[in-house]
Amino acid sequence: MAHIPDGILSAPVLIGGGVVAAAGVALGLKRLDDRLIPRTAILAAALFAGSLIAVPVGPSSVHLLLSGLMGIMLGTAIFPAVLVALLLQALLFGFGGLTTLGVNTVNIALPGLLAGMALGPSIRSTGSPGLRLLAGALAGLLPVIGTGVLVALALWLSSGDYTPVASVMAVTYLPLAIGEAFVTAAAVAFLARVQPDVMRPVAP
Amino acid sequence: MTLPRDLRLRIVAAFAVVGCLSQLRSLPVAAGALAAVMLLAWLHRSGQPSWRRLLHLEGFLLLLFVTLPFSVAGQPLFSLGPVVASFEGVSRAALIVCKVSASMLVIVTMLREDEPVRLAVALRGLHVPEPAVRLFMLTARYLELIRGEAQRLHDAMRMRGFRPRGNRHTWRSYGNLLGMLLVRALARAQRVEEAMLCRGYDGRFPRVAQPPPAPRDWMGFALILAFGFAVILTDRL
């Protein structure tokens, strides 16, 4: 849903996205202990596999981003994990693009990281299941909205002609945000019951 | 035109060509480039047709094609009720279709690789930082395995009468499926880590030396780069 292909964005937007993504990836790799790389990779693969499931919402079906859950479980390692997932998606399935790797990484990873930093601590420490459900739902909902805003921003900065699309993009993100909120809340509740220590971020 | 056999050169060439294609501004040049790329893809077709991938469009792209003819001002072409489509808008939408399709065809033709591990070795050869390559390699390796696990969990749910619909029960069930997938992935990660430590893993993979690319590969590489630069030069002149 958030994969902008090659051939849409202008060069300054692509370069800017690439620079921010490179900084994020460098930070994530620096904070990540070498010995935790296999764990990070397997978690990223699991979240990637989860995002390939088509979840029905209303008349359509969506593929989840799971960036909020990634932010909670991976911390700053979300940047390299998203970059790797996007590269694999471009190479194996032909979705997304090469020049847009940086922009797409920022669009997905940055909101996920912020949500993980803001909501992760309360999800881990709260004793009330209701509060945890609410925080989990927000961790699903907010990153999707953030990604939608960033995609719209990338389009709007690239060309004024994209403005009508950028302004109605919320409509296409609405089903995803709804599905993501419910599924993430349920997944967070499940993990808190079964294995609460899973939700500590791999890289702070 | 032959594609370089060496994966390192192919990766660099693909990035350069897609970079050139993505910045085209004139419709005739973009259409010509798309035709050339289609010919290349046809010459190097293998197994499954790659055309089907072109049909996959993101929601907002569809929205873009629908609105662009009306949002770009210019010579009126046709009107749909109160809104008027401009000639410039339609050609702008066509330009984007050409650029997106050509770039996607370049990617699937030049970089389709059945074994992602070979891609990881090539990336390491291009001096991509080692931890990033290791992350890529392990994610690629375990993606297929965990996808199979997700499929089995999904099959088990269906066997018990689960039918996905757009309601809260479905979403909660998928949340549980996802949670289970993560718990199992973590248990797997634990086993993998222990197995790797047993075999002397100290946080680094040994580096595999790669032979330098053959002269033929350099030729193909130069031809592809020349194509990319020729296209962007024709476009700008």
Side-chain angles (χ1 to χ4, degrees):
Chain A
M1 204 56 194
H3 308 90
I4 307 177
D6 296 303
I8 307 264
L9 301 181
S10 68
V13 174
L14 293 176
I15 294 167
V19 169
V20 178
V25 170
L27 177 74
L29 289 177
K30 208 181 114 209
R31 295 260 182 101
L32 182 61
D33 184 348
D34 262 356
R35 283 166 307 174
L36 288 179
I37 286 183
R39 172 179 301 228
T40 311
I42 291 174
L43 277 181
L47 289 162
F48 189 2
S51 75
L52 295 173
I53 300 170
V55 178
V57 178
S60 65
S61 75
V62 296
H63 289 278
L64 302 180
L65 283 177
L66 302 178
S67 47
L69 209 50
M70 271 175 138
I72 294 170
M73 300 182 77
L74 298 179
T76 49
I78 186 176
F79 271 97
V82 167
L83 177 66
V84 161
L86 288 175
L87 187 60
L88 274 174
Q89 219 153 15
L91 299 180
L92 298 180
F93 308 116
F95 296 169
L98 295 182
T99 56
T100 50
L101 272 178
V103 175
N104 286 340
T105 302
V106 174
N107 287 350
I108 296 174
L110 189 61
L113 174 64
L114 294 178
M117 278 163 58
L119 296 161
S122 49
I123 287 176
R124 282 186 285 273
S125 64
T126 183
S128 133
L131 205 62
R132 195 182 295 120
L133 267 181
L134 180 68
L138 285 177
L141 184 74
L142 296 178
V144 170
I145 294 172
T147 299
V149 169
L150 286 178
V151 172
L153 191 69
L155 289 174
W156 179 72
L157 285 175
S158 286
S159 165
D161 301 332
Y162 298 154
T163 312
V165 178
S167 51
V168 292
M169 209 153 68
V171 182
T172 65
Y173 272 76
L174 201 61
L176 180 60
I178 294 170
E180 188 99 25
F182 280 103
V183 174
T184 308
V188 163
F190 179 92
L191 289 173
R193 281 197 307 272
V194 175
Q195 211 172 340
D197 57 316
V198 176
M199 285 187 287
R200 261 201 328 269
V202 177
Chain B
M1 199 146 107
T2 56
L3 291 177
R5 209 172 289 261
D6 188 277
L7 209 45
R8 287 168 291 179
L9 291 184
R10 249 195 286 164
I11 291 172
V12 175
F15 267 94
V17 168
V18 170
C20 291
L21 288 175
S22 75
Q23 296 305 317
L24 296 180
R25 285 179 194 159
S26 94
L27 179 58
V29 176
L34 175 61
V37 171
M38 280 168 110
L39 183 68
L40 180 80
W42 185 73
L43 287 175
H44 292 271
R45 66 195 181 279
S46 64
Q48 303 174 338
S50 45
W51 315 105
R52 210 178 310 145
R53 297 180 193 221
L54 297 180
L55 297 177
H56 172 88
L57 277 183
E58 303 285 340
F60 71 85
L61 262 183
L62 276 178
L63 218 56
L64 206 61
F65 297 143
V66 174
T67 58
L68 265 181
F70 305 101
S71 71
V72 180
Q75 208 183 327
L77 191 67
F78 63 90
S79 62
L80 213 69
V83 286
V84 180
S86 70
F87 179 73
E88 282 80 357
V90 172
S91 85
R92 185 67 188 276
L95 169 70
I96 290 182
V97 171
C98 287
K99 291 200 293 184
V100 170
S101 324
S103 307
M104 207 167 270
L105 267 180
V106 167
I107 297 175
V108 296
T109 307
M110 293 185 64
L111 296 181
R112 183 167 41 197
E113 191 57 59
D114 297 326
E115 282 177 74
V117 172
R118 288 192 52 214
L119 279 167
V121 173
L123 286 176
R124 185 70 195 108
L126 291 169
H127 298 282
V128 174
E130 206 264 346
V133 172
R134 204 168 345 135
L135 198 62
F136 176 86
M137 188 187 274
L138 289 167
T139 306
R141 163 74 183 84
Y142 285 100
L143 176 62
E144 273 314 301
L145 226 74
I146 293 177
R147 262 183 95 180
E149 197 149 272
Q151 190 60 52
R152 281 195 298 281
L153 284 170
H154 204 226
D155 287 347
M157 284 162 74
R158 288 230 311 260
M159 224 73 110
R160 296 188 181 87
F162 171 73
R163 292 283 171 275
R165 289 193 188 88
N167 54 26
R168 285 191 59 186
H169 171 69
T170 300
W171 298 331
R172 194 169 55 234
S173 307
Y174 276 135
N176 290 341
L177 166 67
L178 190 64
M180 199 59 215
L181 207 57
L182 287 166
V183 167
R184 291 193 182 181
L186 234 72
R188 186 188 294 279
Q190 188 71 37
R191 291 196 302 275
V192 170
E193 270 167 38
E194 281 164 11
M196 285 169 81
L197 287 175
C198 277
R199 288 163 181 77
Y201 177 69
D202 63 348
R204 224 150 264 281
F205 280 148
R207 186 163 175 193
V208 189
Q210 293 176 79
R216 242 180 74 106
D217 288 358
W218 282 112
M219 275 286 292
F221 178 67
L223 276 173
I224 292 169
L225 284 195
F227 167 73
F229 291 133
V231 165
I232 196 92
L233 272 179
T234 330
D235 183 69
R236 289 293 190 271
L237 288 179

